[in-house]
Amino acid sequence: MTVSPLAAWRGRLAALAPALAVAERPFRSQLTVRASEPSAIAAMGSALGVVFPSVPCTFTAGSGQFGDVEVLWLGPDEFLVVAAPDLQVSIEEVLRGALGSSRGSVVDTSAQRTTVILEGPHVRDVLAHGCSVDLHPSAAPAGTCVQTLLARTGIILQVTGPDRCTVLVRSSFAEYLAAWLSDACVEYQAAAP
Amino acid sequence: MTFRTPTGGTIDRNTLLHFTFNGRKLTGHPGDTLASALLANGVHEVGSSVKLGRPRGIVAAGSEDPTSLVQVEEPFPEPMLLATTVELFDGLVARGLAGQGRLAPEPDPARYDAKHEHCDVLVVGAGPAGLAAALTAARSGARVVLVDEQNQAGGALLGVDEYLDDRPSAAWVADVLAELRSTAGVLVLERTTAFGMYQDGFVLALQKRTDHLGFAAPAGVARQRVWRIRTRQIVLATGAHERPVVFAGNDRPGIMLASSARTFLHRYGVLPGSRAVVFTTNDSAYCAAIDLAESGVDVPMIVDARPEAPARLATECAARGIEVRAGHVVIGTEGAGRVTDAHVAPLDGVAGHCDTVVCDTVLVSGGWNPVVNLFSQARGKLRYDAELGAFVPGEELETVRVAGSATGELDLTACVRQGRNAGASAAISAGFTPRGQMPLPVSDSRCTSRSGLVLWRVPGDDDASFVDLQRDATVADVLRATGAGLRSLEHIKRYTTIGTAHDQGKTSGMIAAGIVAEALGVELADQRPTTFRPPYTAVSFAALAGRDRGELHDPVRVTAIHPWHVAHGALFEDVGQWKRPWYYPQAGEDLHTAVLRECKATRESVGMMDGSTLGKIDVQGRDAGKFLDMLYTNMMSTLKVGRIRYGVMCGVDGMVIDDGTVIRVGEERYLVTTTTGNAAKILDWMEEWLQTEWPHLDVHCTSVTEHWATIPLVGPKSRDVLAAVAPDLDVSNEAFEFMTWHDTHVAGVPARVCRISFSGELAYEINVTAWHGLAVWEALMAAGEQYGITPYGTETMHVLRAEKGYPIIGQETDATVTPQDLGMSWAVSKKKPDFIGKRSFARAENNRTDRKQLVGLLPVDPSVLLPEGSQIVETDRLPEPPVRMLGHVTSSYPSAALGRTFALALVRSGHERIGETLYVPVEDSLVPVTVTESVLYDKEGARRDG
Amino acid sequence: MQLIPCPWCGPREEAEFHYGGQAHVAYPEDPSALTDEEWAQYVFFRENPSGPFAERWSHSAGCRRWFNAVRDTRSHDLLAVYRAGEPMPEVLS
Ligand SMILES: [Zn+2]
């Protein structure tokens, strides 16, 4: 039996709608990839059906043998590969194969972070209460992926569409994030002054 | 008697608000401030002064007011607010203060928050210049934030009844504001004070969002918000404050700045009194005098310190029966509370000549001080403008422009032009092209001439001439400071306390500087003004704390198994941000009895704890072994796949920074563990070396701390429990040796089981993917039930390891302890040519024989528990101070296994002292203790294999 | 809150960064060949100039990269940032 970091928060997060639609997407396959050789990066991308991001602070998406896969830029030689649950073992194998003898590493970090989907017209407002990165659509269009601080926890923030974001948070900080989000939404559930 | 005019102002006369001040029930209207409502009721005396207890009134109409301090009592007690900035609401209860308030003892139920905002151009101040700047920038397509302290835009226009382009100025303001509000990318924040300017375009602003709603403030909406604004360009259109002139008896209620009286009239429909003497050094007060006279106030006299009055304005006054006395000043006032008389005499001091004018109001104008606080905070240099008698912005800054009367400009059209230019150049600097230039309005104002006389004070009774009305600081105090030899304004400010009250010297600072310059015979142009520091106006701690209170004050990190610990009554210990089970008390147990039980059960049968907080780092790459050889004091590259080694890490200074186990997962892959508190630090440490010193090494480190749930299963029965849940695993001592690991299934899920021990007992550490942690924990509990499996917390872990002499990094060590000091020379490789810290071990300092070394201490009386942190001395009697301390107790516990208390300690030359008796001062006695080796339990290691 | 321009992620608030002391202080090639005094110089002694100072920063809450920055210690202004391994750029103090 598996228990996700925010299992106990499901009801409370759902109750934040319509101010903000918040839901955990647990158990996704996540692999931290370190690689710097372009050929190895390209090989890993083609094995997964997605072009790895070459621009800092962005993510890419594609589809292949493991279905929909996202690759998040975490650093100049660091990526997070994200796919549907229960694929981490086979994806790790495929990535290792593609990496070959090139410098790099592949690590299963599926349970290191959990995923929270945020959607609604107030999503940027809510995040702006704790995130110092400019989330205006002109500065952070869809496809943006930043590692930064939200209030007092580190997050990976993906802008996935207008009024839609994905937040990845370290599992041990997930309840803090949920509590912070719930509190931030109070303002948008109340009548505006 | 009412002092409310029959018409005028922006108040809502159809609605009556009831409020209570100093116990009196009064009424006002929406749109009033507490100050305007008090004045409308004829109340001038608000509180009293902090030192002398003299009555204090209302000097100004805005946040520059030095005197009208009140405490709001209802809806919620809040001290040290200015009556001039408290918007009136129904049911308000307030009272005047004597310079000090009191914080409410009960928690503030209001919500406070913070929000980040980014823009291209931030405009501070929504007066004519600020509006022009904001509109110009907005039309260029820039993202614009306009903040203003007031509840409505207009700035100085709110306090006059002047016309722009033949329309009331409010119409011009409304037009600009409407366009701003309808332009995408523009945020207009009223009731918002930019209170601090910091580096890189960072500005903090406090917005009072629901204060004005009083009891009707909606729950859930933050009452105040700190805006954290990051902008590329800034336009400061912060305006100017009128400056008084200091004279004897200038502190009586009823003595007010002339422009403030005009503001009370035009904005709030309030007359300051019945009979007003106007004392001025410049033209602007004439408008106040004329406006008030036209509104029914008896204005017997304008006292103009200049040798000649302005002809045109003097004619206007004459037409209204106002006598203008040029070359005269107010030299004193009378009045037990409020002013009753003003004494008027020639400025040139013809002795004996003095007229007394009966009045209930004295309006004063000594000129204008540009509000340069934020410009100065932005490190802008100030320049003394001798004509104005004030400091003005003295240089151009790359990202900060100043426009309007904040520059010293007093003509309205010129202010708007400055604002327009500043908005345009700010937009250009931010990468935008100005479009559609706004036309400059033409004002019908008559009183904007700069031709004033700079007059700081009227000679007279220095002890009764108040410079800072809030601090009760007088001219005499300033002269005492200069007389004592102080010359710097910063020193004089601190000596006299001028400018240190809530208003930070908005009306007094410039005058103090002027009086000092006169006293010292120096030029103000050569004086450096005192430093302006944030906050510009008072900001409550509640607002600064925002939502970082209660459970959000600091993150609480929890493991996947945490819900079980809570459900089973664990008490928790904070380890960094983690909540770790401390112990699991059963009914009637305290810490002591619970831990003795947990220790006993673990040593005699089987115990289990949640070790998930341990830091875990995956180290991969061809050079992983070589890298770890450099980081650890012992050799890791020789570790065989499948095996585990304990390792110690030092800094370059040779001092221990962390320890843990190193698991060799594959030829090119290790998994290392760190202490709970150091997980992030050690990963950073590794990256630091890899990225900055050894980028050629093929090694990559990845944190997997939270990927794994980690469960140490400890005690002689641990093998039986493990066997029950890991049917695939051969748990025999031969097949599963100490310091090896196996991948298997535990409770049906993939698991990595390590045979390591931090207690000396037979023990396993079970690692599973975190989301399986709770289920596996419960399966282990079920499997161990027949052995009385006992969950234990950090306290029992500490006792078990201390009995074995295992140090805890950060408890036994600080930043001054080497592995040798810990008795861990065995963990320091002699074969490796180098590793971090190695060279330092050879330093003379690290080879002193009197270094503090880790030993055990056994109190001679086995029931005495030494307090951790106790000092250790050599003799059974304390000598005269200074007493030589030999070291201190690092850990101390009662032990079930030893049947007595024991301690670990760092003691000078400790290893040589084994067997000696030393003494530990505890309260008033010296407790004798025997020094022993640090390992106290199972020295032979017989229990390790079960 | 100062902005620090990470050479990878761009300007971020300083709270995302860790300070790493003086830059370009290389780990000695052969520590054992150094005298105690030379070794102590490496371990304990750093420059403390009034003016431009090359120092190391890590974007610890972001991309976790170490990089170098030249900061004017009088104003805290960052005069230049550059990636690890790159030479220190010329800066005007
Ligand atoms: Zn970065």
Side-chain angles (χ1 to χ4, degrees), chain B residues 156-186:
Chain B
L157 296 176
L158 293 170
V160 298
D161 66 341
E162 290 164 0
Y163 278 57
L164 293 179
D165 298 338
D166 301 324
R167 291 192 305 156
S169 56
W172 181 85
V173 171
D175 284 353
V176 176
L177 204 60
E179 182 176 343
L180 283 172
R181 288 196 195 281
S182 64
T183 306
V186 176

Side-chain angles (χ1 to χ4, degrees), chain A residues 2-3 34 96 101 103 106-107 111-112 125 128-129 132 134 136 152 170 172-173 180 183-184 187 191, chain B residues 111 114-116 118 143 209 221-222 547-548 555 557 578 620 622 669 695 697-698 703-704 706-707 771:
Chain A
T2 52
V3 181
R34 301 289 294 271
R96 276 190 192 288
S101 59
R103 235 177 114 127
V106 181
V107 183
Q112 175 82 349
D125 284 320
H129 287 292
S132 66
D134 187 1
H136 190 270
R152 291 167 187 262
R170 294 274 290 257
S172 65
F173 286 96
W180 187 91
D183 184 62
E187 177 84 23
Chain B
R111 187 178 165 83
K115 195 173 182 195
H116 294 269
H118 299 258
R143 286 162 72 186
R209 303 172 77 227
V221 174
R547 294 169 50 223
D548 294 340
R557 300 179 68 182
W578 288 100
Q620 275 186 60
R622 220 158 278 140
R669 189 171 187 184
L697 290 185
D698 176 2
S703 169
V704 287
E706 285 140 274
H707 179 70
W771 56 56

Side-chain angles (χ1 to χ4, degrees), chain A residues 56-57 73-76 147, chain C residues 4-10 12 16-17 58-67:
Chain A
C57 303
W73 185 96
L74 299 185
Q147 292 172 91
Chain C
I4 296 177
C6 170
W8 300 100
C9 307
R12 296 284 185 90
E16 295 191 7
F17 296 83
S58 165
H59 190 190
S60 47
C63 66
R64 302 199 301 123
R65 286 321 100 167
W66 282 89
F67 60 92

Side-chain angles (χ1 to χ4, degrees), chain A residues 61-131:
Chain A
S63 195
Q65 56 173 315
F66 299 106
D68 293 339
V69 175
E70 286 178 347
V71 183
L72 285 54
W73 185 96
L74 299 185
D77 68 348
E78 185 170 356
F79 307 91
L80 188 69
V81 172
V82 184
D86 296 324
L87 298 171
Q88 58 268 33
V89 174
S90 31
I91 293 178
E92 179 171 350
E93 203 171 301
V94 165
L95 287 173
R96 276 190 192 288
L99 183 62
S101 59
S102 298
R103 235 177 114 127
S105 70
V106 181
V107 183
D108 177 10
T109 52
S110 302
Q112 175 82 349
R113 298 181 183 87
T114 193
T115 304
V116 182
I117 311 286
L118 309 177
E119 191 165 10
H122 295 305
V123 62
R124 288 168 205 267
D125 284 320
V126 167
L127 292 172
H129 287 292
C131 177

Side-chain angles (χ1 to χ4, degrees), chain C:
Chain C
M1 182 73 76
Q2 190 164 8
L3 287 181
I4 296 177
C6 170
W8 300 100
C9 307
R12 296 284 185 90
E13 292 202 340
E14 65 179 284
E16 295 191 7
F17 296 83
H18 274 174
Y19 183 63
Q22 185 179 350
H24 310 300
V25 181
Y27 186 75
E29 215 143 283
D30 182 6
S32 67
L34 302 184
T35 64
D36 271 11
E37 202 179 313
E38 287 166 335
W39 177 248
Q41 277 294 333
Y42 165 72
V43 174
F44 300 113
F45 289 81
R46 293 295 181 269
E47 298 299 318
N48 184 21
S50 170
F53 184 43
E55 54 197 20
R56 303 184 310 165
W57 287 86
S58 165
H59 190 190
S60 47
C63 66
R64 302 199 301 123
R65 286 321 100 167
W66 282 89
F67 60 92
N68 298 316
V70 182
R71 181 178 59 99
D72 189 323
T73 59
R74 296 164 300 187
S75 63
H76 295 306
D77 288 339
L78 289 168
L79 306 174
V81 294
Y82 50 108
R83 294 171 181 176
E86 292 178 353
M88 179 175 150
E90 290 285 321
V91 294
L92 297 171
S93 60

Side-chain angles (χ1 to χ4, degrees), chain B residues 821-865:
Chain B
D821 296 336
L822 293 174
M824 286 192 173
S825 299
W826 56 266
V828 178
S829 166
K830 290 171 189 63
K831 290 186 207 138
K832 292 193 289 186
D834 192 26
F835 56 83
I836 295 169
K838 179 181 168 81
R839 174 65 185 81
S840 285
F841 296 151
R843 292 180 63 232
E845 178 62 30
N846 289 343
N847 287 289
R848 289 170 56 152
T849 53
D850 64 345
R851 287 187 64 80
K852 289 183 184 170
Q853 294 160 333
L854 185 70
V855 292
L857 297 182
L858 293 174
V860 171
D861 176 348
S863 66
V864 171
L865 184 66

